[in-house]
C-alpha cells in the first residue's frame, strides 16, 4: 500500500494507499507485479458481487488419502489439492480482484483471508466497502516502517474484535518464532471476547493448510495460549500435521495491567476496548507495550487498538490522549506520530443499510440516526451516550455528558458537532514585524502551515491595523474600545499530571451592533509553548500591536509584564478598576468569576465561537484544577477584560466552592447541563 504500484491511489484519512493495476497483484514473495484473474461468476453486471471460494468437493477425504500416502512418501502431493492450496495462499498474501456490480474491486490479502476463511458466529463475513477501506488503512500501516500500528474508533457491533483477531493470527501463524498478545479492559474480556471467540473459534474452522501444527497437550481448544509447537505428549502424530513445519510461534492473552507484557517481544498486539478500560491508564500502558514492538529504534511489531468510547471518567480520557498522539497528519522529524500509531475513525452512518454490493445508503443512515437523536433531545445523558456509541465524527465519540460538565454541555457539544462539518473556519499563520524589526512599528499576518495563530478576522484595510500611539519609544493601544486580549501565560512548572502547560491567549472583538459576523466574538486563538518564554511574550506583543488592543494577563507570572515594559509597551497592560498594578490574580475568586462569565457567554453567544479547542476545554473544565485548561482560562481573562469588572476580595470571608454554587444553581433553575 505504501509503494507506488502504478494503479489508483486511494487517500484514506491522510494515508495515500497505492493499489496495483486492475487485474494485477503485488507478489510479496517475488516483489513483482503479476497478473491474476478478476473473480466473477457472471457477465451480468447486476449479478456480479463478492462470492466466497469454498474448499473443493471431497477435500477432506482427498486430503486424508494424501496424508496417508505421505507417511511412506513425504514428497507426494495431490495435484488438485496442491493447486488449490497454492491459489489460496497467493490470495491470502497478495490479495485479489473481483467484479462488483460491473466494477473491479481490489481487496488486500488480509481482507481476503478475513472474508473467505475467518468464520465467525454468524458465518463468513461478507464484502463491505467500509471493511475494504479499513483493511487498506491497516495494510498501509503494516507496510510503513514508521508506523507502529493503528488505533481505531467505530460504533458498536461492527466486527472490530473479530477483525482484530484475524490481524493477530495472520502473521504469527505463517512466520517462525513470532509472538502475539492480547489485552482488554479486563483479563476475562481478553480471554473470552478476543482470544477464545475472535481467535480460537475461527482458527478451528480454518482448512488444515491454514492451520499450523499446534500444541494440543491441554486440549484441542486452547484457553490461555495458542502455541504453534508440536504436541508434547506421546502417541501417534495427527495425519493433519504430516509435512507441516513447527513454527514455534505463540499467541496469548494477559491481564490488563500496565506491566503484563513488560520485557516481552511482540510482533502483533491487540488492545481491545481501550476506551472502556477503567482500572488501567491505557496511555501509560502503551508506553510500556510499544517497546515490546520496538528494537533499536525500529518497529518490529504492529499494534491494533480498537474501541468504542465511553464516559471520560470511565477510561475515555486516557484513550483520548492516545488518540490525540496518533494523528498521522502531525509527525515528528523522524516521520512518526507521538504514539507511533495512526488513527482510524469509522462514521456510524457508513455501516448501516448496506446493499448487496457492500455499499451503505449514507443519506438514509444519517436520517435514521438524526431521528433517533431527536427523540432523545430532552435527555442529555441518554443522548450523549447514544451519540458516543454511534458517532458521526471523532469529536462525537468523545462527547461528554451534561452531568459531567460545569457548563451547558448540550450547547457546547452541538457547537462542536456543527464546526466539525465546516472547513476553512480559520487561517493558520504567524504575526510578524514588518522587515523583521520591532522598530518598524508595524505587524502583519502571514499564513503558514506551521504557524501558532488561528485567525478568524483580519483588517480588510491595512491602514486600520497597528493603531498604536507613540510618544518617543513608548507605545499605547488605540483600539481598546473595540478589541481586548486575554492571556494565560505559562511558567516552567508542570501540571499535576506531569504535563507542561501551554501559553494561551485570545483576541476578542467587543460587541458592535453594526458587525453581526464578528461582534462579541473570539477572533484569534493561540495555544502553544514556544521553545522560550520570550518567544511567547513576543507573539503576544505582536498580536496586541496589530489589533491595537490592550492586554489582561494573569499577574502570578510576571515575565510577560517585564517584557512589555522593557520594550516600551507597558501602556498595553490593563489595570482593572481599583487595582494599582496591571493584570489579574489567579485566585479562587477570579476563577469563580471566570466560570460565571463563561457560563453567561455560552448561554448567549455560543454561535460566535469558532475554535473547537476552546469548546472542548469548556466541556471538560474543572474549576478545582484550572491548571489543565489553558484555553478556558485565557478565554476567561479575555471576558474579564471585555467586562472590565473584578470581584473584590473580602479578607475575613472564605471563598465559596464554585462547583457547589453552580450545582445549586442548576437544581434551582431545573436545567440539565
Amino acid at each position: 500500500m505504501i509503494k507506488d504500484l502504478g494503479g489508483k491511489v486511494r487517500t484514506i484519512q491522510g494515508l495515500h494507499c497505492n493499489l496495483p493495476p486492475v487485474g494485477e497483484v503485488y507478489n510479496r514473495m517475488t516483489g513483482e507485479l503479476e497478473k491474476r484473474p478478476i473473480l466473477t461468476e457472471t457477465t451480468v453486471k447486476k449479478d456480479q458481487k463478492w462470492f466466497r471460494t469454498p474448499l473443493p468437493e471431497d477435500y477432506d477425504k482427498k486430503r486424508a488419502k494424501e496424508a496417508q500416502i505421505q507417511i511412506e512418501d513425504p514428497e507426494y502431493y495431490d495435484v488438485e489439492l496442491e493447486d488449490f492450496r497454492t491459489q489460496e495462499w497467493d490470495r491470502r498474501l497478495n490479495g485479489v480482484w473481483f467484479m462488483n456490480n460491473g466494477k473491479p474491486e481490489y481487496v488486500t490479502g488480509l481482507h481476503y483471508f478475513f472474508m473467505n476463511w475467518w468464520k465467525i458466529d454468524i458465518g463468513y463475513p461478507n464484502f463491505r466497502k467500509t471493511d475494504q477501506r479499513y483493511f487498506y488503512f491497516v495494510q498501509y500501516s503494516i507496510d510503513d516502517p514508521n508506523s507502529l500500528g493503528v488505533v481505531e474508533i467505530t460504533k458498536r457491533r461492527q466486527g472490530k474484535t473479530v477483525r482484530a483477531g484475524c490481524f493477530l493470527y495472520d502473521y504469527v501463524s505463517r512466520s517462525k518464532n513470532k509472538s502475539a498478545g492480547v489485552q482488554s479492559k479486563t483479563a476475562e474480556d481478553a480471554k473470552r471476547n478476543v482470544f477464545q471467540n475472535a481467535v480460537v473459534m475461527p482458527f478451528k474452522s480454518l482448512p488444515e493448510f491454514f492451520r499450523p501444527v499446534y500444541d494440543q497437550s491441554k486440549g484441542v481448544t486452547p484457553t490461555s495460549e495458542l502455541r504453534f509447537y508440536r504436541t508434547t505428549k506421546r502417541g501417534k502424530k495427527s495425519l493433519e500435521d504430516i509435512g507441516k513445519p513447527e513454527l514455534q510461534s505463540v499467541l496469548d492473552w494477559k491481564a490488563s495491567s500496565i506491566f503484563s507484557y513488560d520485557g516481552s517481544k511482540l510482533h502483533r498486539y491487540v488492545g481491545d476496548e481501550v476506551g472502556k478500560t477503567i482500572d488501567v491508564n491505557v496511555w501509560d500502558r502503551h508506553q510500556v507495550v510499544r517497546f515490546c514492538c520496538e528494537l533499536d529504534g525500529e518497529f518490529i511489531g504492529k499494534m491494533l487498538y480498537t474501541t468504542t468510547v465511553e464516559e471520560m471518567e470511565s477510561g475515555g480520557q486516557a484513550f483520548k490522549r492516545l488518540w490525540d498522539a496518533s494523528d498521522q497528519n502531525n509527525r515528528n522529524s523522524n516521520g512518526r506520530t507521538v504514539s507511533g500509531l495512526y488513527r482510524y475513525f469509522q462514521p456510524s452512518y457508513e455501516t448501516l443499510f448496506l446493499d448487496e454490493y457492500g455499499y451503505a445508503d449514507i443519506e438514509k443512515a444519517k436520517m435514521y440516526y438524526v431521528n433517533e437523536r431527536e427523540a432523545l433531545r430532552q435527555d442529555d445523558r441518554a443522548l450523549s451516550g447514544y451519540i458516543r456509541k454511534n458517532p458521526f465524527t471523532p469529536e462525537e465519540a468523545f462527547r461528554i455528558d451534561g452531568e459531567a460538565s460545569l457548563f451547558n454541555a448540550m450547547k457546547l457539544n452541538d457547537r462542536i458537532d456543527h464546526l466539525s462539518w465546516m472547513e476553512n473556519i480559520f487561517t493558520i499563520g504567524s504575526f510578524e514585524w514588518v522587515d523583521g524589526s520591532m522598530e518598524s512599528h508595524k505587524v502583519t499576518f502571514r499564513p503558514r502551515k506551521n504557524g501558532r495563530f488561528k485567525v478568524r478576522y483580519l483588517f480588510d484595510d491595512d491602514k486600520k491595523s497597528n493603531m498604536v500611539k507613540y510618544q518617543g519609544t513608548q507605545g499605547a493601544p488605540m483600539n481598546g474600545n473595540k478589541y481586548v486580549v486575554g492571556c494565560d501565560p505559562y511558567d516552567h512548572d508542570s501540571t499535576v499530571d506531569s504535563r507542561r502547560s501551554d501559553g494561551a491567549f485570545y483576541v476578542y472583538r467587543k460587541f458592535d451592533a453594526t458587525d453581526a459576523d464578528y461582534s462579541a466574538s473570539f477572533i484569534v486563538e493561540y495555544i502553544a509553548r514556544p521553545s522560550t518564554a520570550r518567544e511567547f511574550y513576543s507573539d503576544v506583543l505582536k498580536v496586541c500591536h496589530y489589533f491595537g488592543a490592550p492586554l489582561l494577563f494573569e499577574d502570578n507570572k510576571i515575565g510577560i509584564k517585564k517584557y512589555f515594559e522593557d520594550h516600551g509597551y507597558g501602556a498595553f497592560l490593563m489595570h482593572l478598576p481599583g487595582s494599582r498594578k496591571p493584570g489579574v490574580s489567579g485566585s479562587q475568586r477570579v476563577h469563580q468569576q471566570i466560570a460565571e462569565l463563561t457560563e453567561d457567554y455560552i448561554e448567549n453567544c455560543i454561535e460566535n465561537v469558532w475554535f473547537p479547542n476552546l469548546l472542548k476545554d469548556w466541556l471538560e473544565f474543572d474549576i478545582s484544577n484550572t491548571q489543565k485548561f489553558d484555553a478556558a482560562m485565557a478565554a476567561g481573562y479575555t471576558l474579564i477584560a471585555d467586562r472590565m469588572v473584578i470581584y473584590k476580595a473580602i479578607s475575613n470571608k472564605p471563598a465559596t466552592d464554585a462547583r457547589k454554587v453552580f450545582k445549586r444553581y442548576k437544581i434551582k433553575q431545573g436545567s440539565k447541563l
Side-chain angles (χ1 to χ4, degrees):
M1 286 281 131
I2 195 171
K3 183 178 180 180
D4 184 1
L5 300 175
K8 290 184 177 180
V9 178
R10 299 289 172 82
T11 300
I12 303 173
Q13 300 184 26
L15 300 186
H16 304 301
C17 302
N18 294 276
L19 306 187
V22 175
E24 298 184 38
V25 300
Y26 175 72
N27 190 323
R28 294 179 177 274
M29 302 297 292
T30 65
E32 301 291 336
L33 283 170
E34 298 175 3
K35 290 188 177 299
R36 295 290 186 274
I38 302 176
L39 306 184
T40 185
E41 291 185 315
T42 177
T43 58
V44 180
K45 175 182 175 182
K46 67 181 182 61
D47 294 333
Q48 293 174 339
K49 63 189 74 172
W50 166 256
F51 64 93
R52 181 174 175 270
T53 302
L55 287 169
E57 187 176 354
D58 296 330
Y59 179 89
D60 291 337
K61 289 182 180 180
K62 293 179 180 179
R63 171 57 188 150
K65 181 180 179 180
E66 179 187 51
Q68 193 67 48
I69 298 174
Q70 287 175 339
I71 295 175
E72 302 296 331
D73 182 5
E75 301 298 322
Y76 172 81
Y77 60 85
D78 182 297
V79 174
E80 178 188 358
L81 300 191
E82 185 66 10
D83 286 346
F84 184 78
R85 290 188 292 251
T86 300
Q87 167 190 284
E88 292 307 298
W89 269 107
D90 177 72
R91 293 177 180 179
R92 175 178 171 179
L93 293 174
N94 306 320
V96 70
W97 288 89
F98 75 98
M99 293 303 296
N100 192 30
N101 194 24
K103 178 183 178 181
E105 299 271 13
Y106 175 75
V107 296
T108 67
L110 183 59
H111 190 187
Y112 176 82
F113 182 56
F114 176 70
M115 288 193 295
N116 208 76
W117 297 111
W118 203 246
K119 188 175 183 180
I120 57 179
D121 56 349
I122 59 173
Y124 292 98
N126 210 333
F127 174 77
R128 298 188 298 187
K129 196 68 178 176
T130 52
D131 282 347
Q132 183 189 47
R133 289 194 295 268
Y134 168 83
F135 280 105
Y136 284 174
F137 192 92
V138 170
Q139 190 62 56
Y140 185 103
S141 175
I142 292 173
D143 294 344
D144 187 350
N146 285 322
S147 173
L148 188 55
V150 174
V151 52
E152 172 197 15
I153 296 177
T154 186
K155 63 171 284 188
R156 293 186 173 209
R157 299 191 176 278
Q158 283 306 300
K160 59 184 178 298
T161 302
V162 291
R163 289 195 304 259
C166 186
F167 164 86
L168 268 176
Y169 176 84
D170 174 59
Y171 183 64
V172 296
S173 68
R174 57 181 172 84
S175 307
K176 286 191 173 184
N177 300 309
K178 305 301 179 185
S179 298
V182 179
Q183 289 182 292
S184 189
K185 57 183 185 292
T186 66
E188 183 63 21
D189 286 306
K191 175 184 177 181
R192 186 177 302 278
N193 296 342
V194 186
F195 183 76
Q196 291 183 331
N197 294 342
V199 176
V200 174
M201 290 300 103
F203 161 75
K204 293 182 66 177
S205 297
L206 290 172
E208 51 80 28
F209 54 85
F210 282 154
R211 197 166 57 231
V213 173
Y214 75 104
D215 185 357
Q216 301 178 38
S217 60
K218 296 182 180 179
V220 296
T221 305
T223 58
S224 60
E225 59 181 359
L226 187 54
R227 291 168 41 84
F228 298 120
Y229 287 77
R230 296 198 184 279
T231 303
T232 55
K233 65 178 182 180
R234 297 179 181 179
K236 188 177 180 180
K237 290 184 179 180
S238 168
L239 288 178
E240 179 185 300
D241 293 344
I242 291 176
K244 294 182 181 179
E246 184 180 48
L247 294 180
Q248 298 184 353
S249 295
V250 178
L251 193 161
D252 66 9
W253 62 270
K254 291 190 182 297
S256 61
S257 64
I258 291 176
F259 298 106
S260 289
Y261 277 108
D262 189 26
S264 303
K265 182 183 290 186
L266 291 173
H267 300 91
R268 290 294 183 270
Y269 171 84
V270 164
D272 184 55
E273 296 295 13
V274 284
K276 301 178 184 177
T277 304
I278 300 173
D279 297 331
V280 176
N281 184 304
V282 295
W283 170 258
D284 292 340
R285 189 174 70 188
H286 176 70
Q287 301 310 308
V288 174
V289 180
R290 68 171 294 172
F291 291 105
C292 299
C293 301
E294 185 175 347
L295 180 66
D296 296 334
E298 293 186 5
F299 295 144
I300 62 169
K302 300 292 179 176
M303 312 176 78
L304 178 60
Y305 287 108
T306 183
T307 194
T308 53
V309 181
E310 297 305 301
E311 293 86 349
M312 285 296 175
E313 62 269 25
S314 299
Q317 187 65 60
F319 174 67
K320 177 66 160 55
R321 187 174 181 185
L322 181 65
W323 178 262
D324 289 343
S326 305
D327 183 359
Q328 51 267 24
N329 297 310
N330 184 17
R331 311 190 195 194
N332 62 23
S333 299
N334 293 327
R336 297 177 175 181
T337 66
V338 174
S339 69
L341 304 165
Y342 296 154
R343 64 189 192 187
Y344 183 83
F345 173 75
Q346 182 64 65
S348 59
Y349 53 75
E350 292 184 351
T351 64
L352 198 64
F353 304 131
L354 299 175
D355 64 19
E356 59 186 313
Y357 307 110
Y359 284 76
D361 187 333
I362 291 178
E363 293 308 314
K364 181 180 178 181
K366 284 183 179 179
M367 183 57 65
Y368 170 83
Y369 283 122
V370 167
N371 291 340
E372 291 296 308
R373 293 179 180 194
E374 192 60 34
L376 297 171
R377 181 60 60 176
Q378 302 306 314
D379 187 338
D380 290 357
R381 188 173 182 84
L383 176 60
S384 290
Y386 184 83
I387 290 175
R388 270 198 312 274
K389 293 175 179 63
N390 302 280
F392 287 8
T393 65
E395 289 77 15
E396 288 190 347
F398 293 102
R399 189 181 179 103
I400 294 177
D401 285 341
E403 294 180 11
S405 177
L406 185 63
F407 306 125
N408 190 327
M410 184 62 68
K411 285 193 172 186
L412 291 169
N413 278 313
D414 284 348
R415 187 61 179 168
I416 291 172
D417 294 345
H418 177 73
L419 294 182
S420 70
W421 294 98
M422 301 182 69
E423 297 180 353
N424 303 318
I425 55 179
F426 48 71
T427 302
I428 297 175
S430 301
F431 284 95
E432 302 172 1
W433 293 105
V434 172
D435 298 328
S437 172
M438 191 180 296
E439 295 179 358
S440 69
H441 292 172
K442 188 174 183 179
V443 173
T444 189
F445 177 79
R446 300 187 189 281
R448 298 185 187 279
K449 290 183 179 180
N450 61 346
R452 293 191 282 261
F453 292 87
K454 295 177 180 178
V455 179
R456 274 280 300 165
Y457 172 85
L458 293 166
F459 294 109
D460 52 7
D461 183 353
D462 191 52
K463 294 179 180 179
K464 296 179 180 179
S465 67
N466 296 284
M467 297 294 289
V468 179
K469 182 179 180 179
Y470 283 91
Q471 291 185 347
T473 60
Q474 304 297 307
M478 302 299 292
N479 267 342
N481 62 325
K482 296 180 180 179
Y483 305 95
V484 290
V485 179
C487 176
D488 182 21
Y490 67 82
D491 55 22
H492 295 285
D493 297 328
S494 61
T495 61
V496 293
D497 61 356
S498 300
R499 178 186 60 85
R500 296 196 308 166
S501 62
D502 290 323
F505 57 85
Y506 287 91
V507 180
Y508 183 84
R509 178 155 185 172
K510 290 173 170 285
F511 176 75
D512 182 350
T514 66
D515 184 3
D517 292 335
Y518 301 102
S519 176
S521 177
F522 297 94
I523 56 175
V524 176
E525 178 183 76
Y526 181 107
I527 305 172
R529 189 183 179 99
S531 56
T532 67
R534 287 181 62 83
E535 193 175 349
F536 171 74
Y537 303 153
S538 174
D539 284 342
V540 181
L541 175 55
K542 284 181 286 190
V543 81
C544 287
H545 197 287
Y546 177 84
F547 286 99
L551 169 71
L552 183 65
F553 64 99
E554 183 189 356
D555 64 8
N556 303 47
K557 299 142 189 170
I558 63 172
I560 194 168
K561 172 179 178 292
K562 189 173 187 302
Y563 183 89
F564 269 64
E565 291 176 342
D566 287 350
H567 289 83
Y569 294 99
F572 274 77
L573 305 176
M574 290 182 67
H575 290 68
L576 292 173
S579 176
R580 296 182 178 179
K581 63 177 183 177
V584 59
S585 66
S587 67
Q588 186 173 348
R589 289 188 178 279
V590 171
H591 295 169
Q592 181 175 325
Q593 184 183 13
I594 284 175
E596 293 180 4
L597 290 174
T598 300
E599 182 178 53
D600 180 71
Y601 186 82
I602 290 170
E603 291 299 325
N604 296 291
C605 302
I606 189 65
E607 293 184 356
N608 295 351
V609 182
W610 297 89
F611 299 109
N613 285 331
L614 179 55
L615 294 164
K616 293 171 187 176
D617 235 35
W618 280 340
L619 260 178
E620 301 174 18
F621 187 70
D622 181 356
I623 199 170
S624 67
N625 188 18
T626 60
Q627 199 174 8
K628 291 177 61 177
F629 303 99
D630 308 310
M633 293 304 294
Y637 294 135
T638 308
L639 293 175
I640 290 176
D642 175 53
R643 305 290 181 89
M644 281 294 286
V645 293
I646 192 68
Y647 288 143
K648 294 182 179 179
I650 303 175
S651 59
N652 61 350
K653 184 177 179 179
T656 302
D657 187 335
R659 290 172 295 176
K660 296 179 180 179
V661 173
F662 274 79
K663 186 175 181 180
R664 290 197 299 271
Y665 174 79
K666 293 176 187 178
I667 294 173
K668 181 178 179 181
Q669 296 296 318
S671 62
K672 295 181 180 179
L673 300 186

